[in-house]
Amino acid sequence: MPCTVVICGFFGDTGKGKVNSYLSLKDRIAVAVRAGVGPNAGHTVVYEGKKYKMRVLPSAFVYDKCHLLIGAGVVISPEGLLQEIQLTKSEGRVGVDPQCAIIESRHIEADKAGYLAEKIKTTGSGTGPCNAERALRMVKLARDVPELEKFLTDVPLEVNVAIDEGKNVLIEGTQGTYLSLYHGTYPYCTSKDVTASAACSDVGVGPTKVSDVIIVFKSYTTRVGAGPLPNELSWEEAEKRGWAEIATVTGRRRRAAPFSYELARRAVMLNGATQAALTKIDVMFPECKGVKSYEGLSQKARDFIEKVEREIKLPVTLIGTGPDALEIVDRREEFRKD
Ligand code: GTP
Ligand code: IMP
Ligand code: MG
């Protein structure tokens, strides 16, 4: 499929990093472009025995022929970006939109104190205050930063040309549907819309160019920061079930709850999703760890997956069976033939 958008259907941290890294390798993605808010995201990518915690570069970096772009909608910390480029040795294949907004120290300070830190419990990465300043049309842009000059490129042009040439393009959304400024649990949300349509806008791709929207769910629900979480469990109960997670960016505990069919159904609608990915099936059903075929999953796991499919009225085409990029069941072919 030439242009695929990957988006989260819950509150972020559903494993988009893993899904995107798998897709880049399997589909030989030519161009991956990062959408979403900015370095408030933390994607974990595990590949060839190494674990990477990415904040801004596309998780598709694991496929070494993939061109890695950052869309204008994203706000960036130049230092963090340069570190990730170094860490992944990707200098020759990174492009940044000249109109990405730049996070400065005053944004981080404003994000770490008062209302944002205490009531909303933001990540403290400066993304909200930076976006606020962008809306006031006073923010610094990537084109104003000499260290970024060699990476600047016309991102919308590169992405649209790749799509028109029939190459595989991946648009990497971040955060999650219910963290959207418009459709999420306001005011407990992030600083912009993060649904699939917003991801396309972030990178300069029109809605008619998208062939698939993959919505990523985790087999249970988690949320970091303040705001409602239906059927939230105590930390002790989450620990007992193996659902007790620690946030990648802030080191905070992730609050946990069982899979919410209601939230999932609405997220499918809000994103116009065409297929779903379901991660961490191995956490719910440990016997599924590392399994790579649907038949290899236990009956209980398959019953759960089929219930999800009935409830959300979409095929679950990708099933995560472990943290590694290649620990996955891929049923896309099966559904393509049907
Ligand atoms: P945001 O953009 O911050 O929302 O993050 P994300 O969706 O990229 O997810 P993140 O990497 O923050 O969290 C997912 C965690 O689950 C990471 O530690 C992954 O390594 C891990 N993970 C992803 N898929 C699976 C899976 O199928 N099984 C297991 N056991 N772990 C997984
Ligand atoms: P901000 O995006 O840093 O302004 O934080 C606003 C809310 O979104 C807080 O509840 C954060 O915990 C949450 N949030 C922002 N980015 C992510 C993410 O990538 N994963 C999970 N939660 C996030
Ligand atoms: Mg995360």
Side-chain angles (χ1 to χ4, degrees):
M1 280 296 175
C3 181
T4 302
V5 182
V6 172
I7 216 85
C8 160
F10 287 149
F11 300 93
D13 306 324
T14 44
K16 293 181 292 299
K18 179 233 170 73
V19 169
N20 287 327
S21 52
Y22 168 74
L23 290 175
S24 73
L25 295 161
K26 174 72 182 172
D27 294 1
R28 299 175 176 273
I29 298 290
V31 176
V33 53
R34 171 72 147 71
V37 184
N40 49 350
H43 304 294
T44 314
V45 174
V46 182
Y47 183 56
E48 291 184 331
K50 283 200 192 122
K51 188 173 180 171
Y52 305 84
K53 291 186 185 265
M54 309 303 290
R55 306 276 295 269
V56 65
L57 271 192
S59 302
F61 75 88
V62 294
Y63 176 51
D64 60 10
K65 292 193 180 64
C66 183
H67 205 54
L68 308 169
L69 302 176
I70 301 172
V74 179
V75 303
I76 54 178
S77 254
E79 217 173 283
L81 170 63
L82 294 170
Q83 276 169 11
E84 284 185 18
I85 293 173
Q86 217 175 16
L87 174 80
T88 56
K89 299 185 180 70
S90 54
E91 180 161 337
R93 56 190 177 111
V94 171
V96 175
D97 194 293
Q99 302 221 104
C100 287
I102 299 298
I103 300 172
E104 297 189 74
S105 51
R106 67 176 176 284
H107 301 137
I108 297 172
E109 280 158 30
D111 209 8
K112 286 194 164 157
Y115 177 81
L116 287 175
E118 286 154 28
K119 184 171 160 87
I120 310 301
K121 299 196 192 312
T122 62
T123 59
S125 54
T127 51
C130 181
N131 270 329
E133 212 172 275
R134 190 203 284 242
L136 293 173
R137 275 130 308 161
M138 292 163 75
V139 84
K140 191 196 265 189
L141 299 181
R143 66 180 183 223
D144 307 319
V145 180
E147 303 82 69
L148 294 180
E149 203 183 340
K150 63 178 169 193
F151 299 107
L152 300 183
T153 188
D154 187 337
V155 169
L157 185 70
E158 285 203 37
V159 176
N160 281 282
V161 165
I163 296 171
D164 292 345
E165 286 175 350
K167 292 183 178 155
N168 283 343
V169 169
L170 180 65
I171 300 178
E172 299 193 7
T174 64
Q175 283 70 48
T177 298
Y178 294 101
L179 294 176
S180 161
L181 180 64
Y182 298 165
H183 305 292
T185 54
Y186 189 93
Y188 302 104
C189 58
T190 191
S191 53
K192 58 186 269 200
D193 183 23
V194 288
T195 57
S197 316
C200 294
S201 159
D202 286 338
V203 305
V205 166
T208 53
K209 292 280 183 80
V210 173
S211 24
D212 258 304
V213 175
I214 301 181
I215 189 161
V216 185
F217 298 111
K218 190 151 63 180
S219 298
Y220 46 94
T221 319
T222 59
R223 166 163 212 171
V224 272
L229 177 64
N231 304 313
E232 182 170 353
L233 303 173
S234 66
W235 182 254
E236 291 68 37
E237 180 58 26
E239 272 185 323
K240 223 185 276 173
R241 297 188 188 196
W243 301 355
E245 298 182 5
I246 301 293
T248 315
V249 173
T250 55
R252 293 182 291 188
R253 286 176 174 182
R254 289 179 182 158
R255 300 154 56 201
F259 189 96
S260 168
Y261 297 100
E262 202 181 327
L263 290 181
R265 266 194 302 272
R266 187 169 174 80
V268 166
M269 173 184 83
L270 289 167
N271 291 286
T274 58
Q275 46 184 302
L278 188 62
T279 61
K280 294 213 170 181
I281 203 80
D282 57 303
V283 175
M284 295 276 282
F285 308 100
E287 68 280 8
C288 297
K289 166 80 179 139
V291 169
K292 291 183 181 168
S293 71
Y294 193 66
E295 299 65 40
L297 297 172
S298 62
Q299 188 60 49
K300 274 188 178 164
R302 281 185 278 160
D303 288 346
F304 173 59
I305 293 161
E306 284 159 29
K307 177 161 166 55
V308 170
E309 289 181 322
R310 280 195 305 277
E311 294 273 350
I312 67 171
K313 297 190 170 61
L314 274 188
V316 173
T317 55
L318 296 166
I319 301 152
T321 58
D324 190 277
L326 303 179
E327 285 179 308
I328 203 160
V329 175
D330 185 347
R331 305 163 77 204
R332 289 178 298 159
E333 259 325 298
E334 184 187 321
F335 285 99
R336 207 166 281 157
K337 277 184 215 135
D338 284 349

